[in-house]
């Protein structure tokens, strides 16, 4: 049976648009507020939620997510908060996945982690620093729990390797738009569409593009060629600037609305 | 012969595993660069012109072979055991770090890259990297935890004099761990033009294998020097272990000599029981950090725990994966040495031998005092004197309450 995430892509493809995927670290800025923030994101039109596992050494993340993760950890966020927020997100009826560096998953026990994601109703796990060479065990554990295994590929990934990695992905393939860390950019790198083209020549799995997308125009542009648009740092920035009170939540919803228009106007 | 052996071990293990440890846990963006580096390293290992160029640099630039010193007066405090010091402190730039840096700088040239980045804790690797960058005309950026830039300000000045840019890292614990994070982020962004000149035997494959191969020269030389001097192999080889590059360098050529004990001395800080230490094998658990699986200081959620040590160069919550493996199979032993034990040995070497060691190295010397007393006066101990202590004068003066 397809996961909720896979069903979402069937639906958005039938609507001839891209899906909007929003990212938030669990427990940012506090666990209670993170629940309100994802609700605002969903109310504004985010189609799927990525719950970040805040980690002490996030080498793929720029300053915005680093600061958010640090704040979440210092406010006590850990594995319990990740699954609590995942359940909350699933409860809103949107497909939800966990994004985590490998260290916390391995420490928890990867089989147990896959089972917990499944029990919480999660669709899958994005593993940004897990290479396919190191993940045979994980793939079987995730398959056993019928959850998606989402790997990140980059513009530097060779065609040969791209075919190998994407053949192990399910749910969607996470295409990093550029060589770099997470964070808003003024323009979305031209490498992104070239990478998506290369992926499509060897895979039929849906492709979502992340890194650097922060506004309606960029969402629209990426939606013209990708099946999904991932936005993270831009949501966090709103909260860092406006707090998670009424005004911050309102601005979060407005950003989601604007991005949601973007993913509908790309084609 | 040594090279053949290394090559064989590499070919049989292209994923860089040491038992369950090692491997690659990195963003996909870095895989192409790591593959390129692996290929460059393997081809260089079997290229006589590369080996000749490196050997020439060792001979005419960094001052190899480094000498062996029989520390007779220090020995009196170590149960009378013969204490042989492998003098890596006499290398150009003052530590063993130059061995690896010259090798990787040559590989950088071979790969056609013009910019190197490096992390540094004590500043020794940063200084060595800045030195090689000057020698080869490469741009050099060194990431250093802000806390370390303060306790190792002399080395910051040296790097700047050598033309490098030093970036103080203000995230997290502001030490070596965070400097590595920042260097990784730079590398992900600039990987096409940049080589990450990692300074220790940690990180993703091929770093643990490659850095070891460039540091093996310490053990290869020392093994012959001990045989020449004493007519037999030592009973034990001792080295301090942070990431573990000087230790693996001197251990590796002795691995097949089953009679030789290999003993790594970790930074016990205020004592393992206090939680304030950097003794990763003695006080940590298996996990993943900075692209490799090894022992790590981490909590139940897999978050890295900040390490503590008087020595900036050992102040790291991870350790090279080959050490984790050697520990688990029982081929090497790892013991913690507290700040106080290390500083006692530091002072003792200064006053008994006229050698000011790096505080990192003082941990190995403290181990020598302990092991020497355990084994007695018939024993021969080979100690890697990995670095000199000029950079630590301020820290030592503060520790001993000496006005400067």
């Amino acid at each position: 049976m397809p996961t909720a995430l896979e069903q979402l892509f069937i639906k958005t493809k039938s609507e001839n648009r891209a899906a909007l995927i929003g990212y938030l670290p669990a427990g940012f800025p506090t666990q209670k507020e993170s629940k309100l923030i994802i609700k605002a994101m969903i109310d504004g039109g985010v189609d799927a939620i990525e719950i970040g596992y805040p980690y002490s050494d996030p080498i793929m993340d720029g300053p915005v997510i680093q600061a958010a993760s640090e704040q979440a950890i210092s406010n006590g966020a850990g594995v319990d908060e990740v699954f609590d927020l995942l359940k909350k997100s699933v409860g809103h009826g949107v497909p939800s996945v966990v994004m985590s560096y490998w260290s916390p998953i391995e420490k928890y026990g990867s089989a147990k982690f896959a089972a917990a994601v499944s029990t919480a109703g999660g669709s899958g796990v994005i593993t940004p620093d897990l290479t396919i060479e190191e993940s045979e065990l994980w793939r079987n554990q995730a398959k056993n729990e019928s959850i998606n295994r989402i790997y990140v590929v980059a513009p530097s990934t060779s065609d040969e390797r791209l075919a190998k990695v994407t053949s192990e992905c399910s749910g969607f393939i996470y295409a990093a738009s550029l060589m770099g860390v997470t964070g808003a950019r003024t323009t979305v790198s031209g490498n992104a569409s070239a990478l998506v083209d290369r992926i499509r020549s060897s895979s039929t799995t849906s492709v979502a593009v992340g890194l650097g997308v922060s506004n309606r125009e960029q969402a629209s542009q990426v939606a013209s060629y990708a099946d999904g648009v991932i936005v993270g740092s831009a949501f966090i920035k709103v909260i860092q600037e406006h707090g998670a009170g009424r005004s911050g939540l309102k601005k979060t919803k407005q950003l989601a609305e604007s991005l949601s228009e973007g993913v509908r106007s790309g084609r | 012969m040594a090279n053949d052996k290394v090559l064989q071990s590499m070919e049989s293990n292209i994923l860089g595993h040491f038992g369950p440890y090692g491997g690659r846990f990195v963003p996909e963006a870095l895989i192409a660069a790591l593959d390129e580096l692996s290929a460059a390293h393997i081809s260089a290992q079997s290229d006589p012109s590369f080996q000749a160029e490196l050997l020439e640099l060792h001979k005419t630039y960094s001052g190899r072979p480094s000498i062996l010193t029989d520390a007779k007066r220090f020995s009196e405090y170590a149960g009378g055991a013969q204490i042989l010091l492998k003098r890596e402190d006499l290398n150009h730039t003052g530590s063993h770090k130059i061995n690896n840096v010259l090798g990787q700088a040559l590989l950088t040239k071979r790969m056609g890259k013009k910019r190197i980045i490096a992390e540094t804790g004590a500043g020794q690797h940063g200084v060595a990297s800045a030195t090689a960058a000057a020698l080869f005309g490469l741009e050099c950026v060194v990431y250093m935890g802000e806390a370390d830039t303060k306790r190792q300000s002399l080395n910051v000045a040296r790097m700047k004099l050598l033309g490098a840019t030093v970036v103080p890292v203000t995230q997290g614990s502001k030490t070596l761990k965070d400097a590595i994070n920042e260097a990784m982020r730079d590398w992900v962004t600039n990987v096409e033009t940049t080589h990450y000149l990692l300074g220790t035997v940690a990180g993703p494959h091929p770093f643990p294998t490659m850095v070891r191969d460039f540091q093996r020269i310490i053990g290869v030389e020392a093994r012959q020097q001990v045989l020449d001097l004493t007519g037999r192999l030592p009973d034990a080889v001792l080295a301090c272990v942070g990431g573990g590059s000087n230790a693996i360098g001197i251990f590796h050529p002795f691995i097949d000599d089953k009679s030789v004990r290999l003993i790594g001395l970790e930074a016990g800080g205020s004592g393992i029981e206090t939680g304030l230490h950097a003794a990763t094998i003695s006080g940590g658990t298996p996990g993943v950090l900075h692209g490799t699986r090894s022992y790590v200081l981490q909590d139940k959620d897999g978050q890295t725990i900040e390490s503590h040590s008087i020595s900036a160069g050992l102040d790291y919550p991870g350790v090279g994966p080959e050490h984790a493996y050697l520990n688990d199979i029982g081929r090497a032993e790892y013991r913690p040495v507290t700040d106080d034990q290390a500083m006692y040995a530091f002072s003792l070497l200064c006053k008994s031998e006229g050698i000011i060691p790096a505080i990192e190295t003082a941990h190995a010397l403290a181990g020598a005092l302990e092991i020497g007393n355990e084994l007695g006066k018939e024993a021969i101990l080979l100690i890697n004197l990995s670095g000199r202590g000029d950079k630590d004068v301020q820290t030592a003066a503060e520790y001993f309450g000496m006005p400067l």
Side-chain angles (χ1 to χ4, degrees), chain B residues 317-344:
Chain B
V319 65
E322 194 167 8
H323 285 294
Y325 178 64
L326 291 174
N327 175 72
D328 285 12
I329 63 170
R331 181 62 192 95
E333 320 155 41
Y334 298 83
R335 298 185 180 190
V337 164
T338 63
D339 288 350
D340 290 342
Q341 289 172 312
M343 293 313 290
Y344 171 73

Side-chain angles (χ1 to χ4, degrees), chain B residues 91-344:
Chain B
N91 294 341
H92 179 42
T93 73
S95 80
H96 71 289
K97 292 293 187 187
I98 193 79
N99 304 332
N100 165 49
V101 162
L102 289 176
Q104 284 197 51
L106 282 180
L107 283 182
T108 306
K109 227 172 69 174
R110 204 178 168 92
M111 293 185 291
K113 293 185 173 180
K114 302 267 186 253
R115 176 176 182 263
I116 59 170
I117 55 173
E119 82 295 340
T120 199
Q124 293 302 87
H125 176 59
V127 167
S129 298
T131 299
L135 181 65
F136 291 108
L138 303 167
E139 182 190 346
C140 178
V141 176
V142 180
Y143 292 94
M144 188 169 187
E146 193 184 40
D148 292 337
T149 61
K150 287 180 185 146
R151 55 179 166 173
Q152 302 287 345
S153 55
L154 177 68
N155 271 344
V156 174
R158 290 170 76 195
M159 288 184 267
K160 287 181 178 168
L161 287 171
L162 291 161
T165 305
V166 180
V167 180
V169 176
T170 55
Q171 285 94 337
S173 58
K174 304 178 177 57
T175 61
L176 181 56
K177 160 182 101 72
D178 307 282
I180 294 177
N181 289 341
E182 219 38 41
M184 289 271 200
R185 292 181 189 117
D186 180 318
W187 204 30
V188 168
T189 309
N190 300 301
V191 65
E192 269 177 43
T193 58
T194 299
H195 173 58
Y196 179 13
L197 210 162
L198 188 72
T200 191
V201 287
H205 177 67
F207 286 109
T209 308
M210 180 181 66
V211 176
R212 176 200 71 202
D213 290 347
F214 288 134
Q215 293 293 2
R216 278 183 99 251
I217 192 164
I218 304 172
V220 170
E221 285 176 7
R223 190 175 179 282
Q224 192 57 50
Q225 287 167 325
V226 174
L227 284 172
D228 291 347
L229 185 75
T230 69
R232 70 172 180 95
L233 289 170
D235 296 285
V237 179
L238 282 72
C240 63
V241 177
S245 71
N246 91 81
I248 209 78
I250 199 162
F251 286 176
H252 202 259
F254 288 97
I255 284 179
D256 292 336
D257 300 320
K258 300 292 181 212
S259 68
V260 181
R261 284 171 68 183
L262 306 176
I263 305 170
L265 288 312
E266 297 193 296
S270 308
I272 291 202
E273 67 288 353
T274 64
L276 301 175
H277 65 88
T280 313
I281 295 179
S282 311
T285 51
V288 170
L289 177 65
H290 290 146
T292 192
R293 182 186 286 123
S294 185
Y295 281 81
V296 183
L297 300 180
Q298 57 180 197
D299 70 10
K300 64 167 181 53
D301 284 330
Q303 311 287 3
T304 311
I305 297 170
E306 287 179 18
S307 55
H308 295 268
S309 170
I310 190 168
S311 143
L314 302 182
D315 201 350
Y316 180 57
V319 65
E322 194 167 8
H323 285 294
Y325 178 64
L326 291 174
N327 175 72
D328 285 12
I329 63 170
R331 181 62 192 95
E333 320 155 41
Y334 298 83
R335 298 185 180 190
V337 164
T338 63
D339 288 350
D340 290 342
Q341 289 172 312
M343 293 313 290
Y344 171 73

Side-chain angles (χ1 to χ4, degrees), chain A residues 153-157 162 175-180 187-199 207 209-211 221-222 225, chain B residues 188-189 191-192:
Chain A
V153 295
S156 63
T157 310
L162 210 48
S177 68
L178 48 78
M179 297 300 290
T187 56
V188 175
S189 158
N191 286 335
S193 73
L195 175 60
V196 173
D197 282 347
R198 290 201 294 131
I199 293 169
V207 184
V209 170
L211 266 57
Q221 188 199 338
V222 172
Y225 57 82
Chain B
V188 168
T189 309
V191 65
E192 269 177 43

Side-chain angles (χ1 to χ4, degrees), chain A residues 53-61 66 78-79 102-104 106-107 128-129 131 134 152 154 156-157 161 179-180, chain B residues 17 23-29 31-32 171 177 181 185 188-189 191 285 288 293 298-304:
Chain A
Y53 193 134
Y55 174 52
S56 54
D57 297 275
I59 58 167
M60 261 297 277
D61 287 305
Q66 281 175 47
V79 71
W102 189 246
S103 173
E106 181 156 308
K107 193 71 189 174
D129 64 345
T131 54
E134 299 293 343
V152 182
S156 63
T157 310
R161 190 171 171 85
M179 297 300 290
Chain B
H17 288 138
R24 281 180 184 169
F25 296 84
V26 291
E28 195 60 33
I31 296 294
Q171 285 94 337
K177 160 182 101 72
N181 289 341
R185 292 181 189 117
V188 168
T189 309
V191 65
T285 51
V288 170
R293 182 186 286 123
Q298 57 180 197
D299 70 10
K300 64 167 181 53
D301 284 330
Q303 311 287 3
T304 311

